[in-house]
Amino acid sequence: MSQLRVQVSTNWHEFSASRTEWGDLLNCCRDVTVFQTYEWYAAWWKAFGQNHRLMLLSARDGKRLVGIAPLMTTRTPSRRTRIAFIGGEHAD
């Protein structure tokens, strides 16, 4: 049995490099909506991500991608860091 490994990516280049694997992962899932696709998250990030910091979590079993969490961090008015899903307040 292999160990699950989680990688944190914080820059756009690493985010865009996951596009193919992300699509392959969704092809294995039932009931996928557009709101789970790389394309939707990429479009949202380009339109609204300027005041946030990217934090993409990728879970791997060996080399195979088995989970992904498209997150962002934001500073609150009280100077705390808030973690949320990309588009969380402005999406379905």
Side-chain angles (χ1 to χ4, degrees):
M1 175 161 54
S2 60
Q3 282 189 318
L4 192 63
R5 181 177 50 93
V6 176
Q7 176 183 356
V8 179
S9 302
T10 59
N11 68 56
W12 182 256
H13 177 72
E14 291 173 352
F15 181 79
S16 61
S18 69
R19 182 180 192 161
T20 301
E21 285 185 297
W22 194 325
D24 292 345
L25 178 62
L26 290 181
N27 287 334
C28 298
C29 300
R30 291 179 27 167
D31 303 322
V32 173
T33 71
V34 68
F35 298 107
Q36 295 156 314
T37 64
Y38 166 87
E39 290 78 11
W40 186 87
Y41 284 106
W44 189 95
W45 189 259
K46 287 179 185 177
F48 304 108
Q50 65 273 9
N51 294 324
H52 308 284
R53 184 168 180 234
L54 183 65
M55 189 169 82
L56 181 69
L57 303 182
S58 303
R60 295 183 179 278
D61 184 7
K63 291 186 178 187
R64 187 172 67 96
L65 183 68
V66 295
I68 196 159
L71 304 171
M72 61 185 179
T73 62
T74 307
R75 282 281 195 203
T76 66
S78 62
R79 314 258 316 138
R80 294 189 175 162
T81 300
R82 178 177 174 258
I83 300 173
F85 281 99
I86 291 175
E89 294 177 358
H90 307 288
D92 202 6

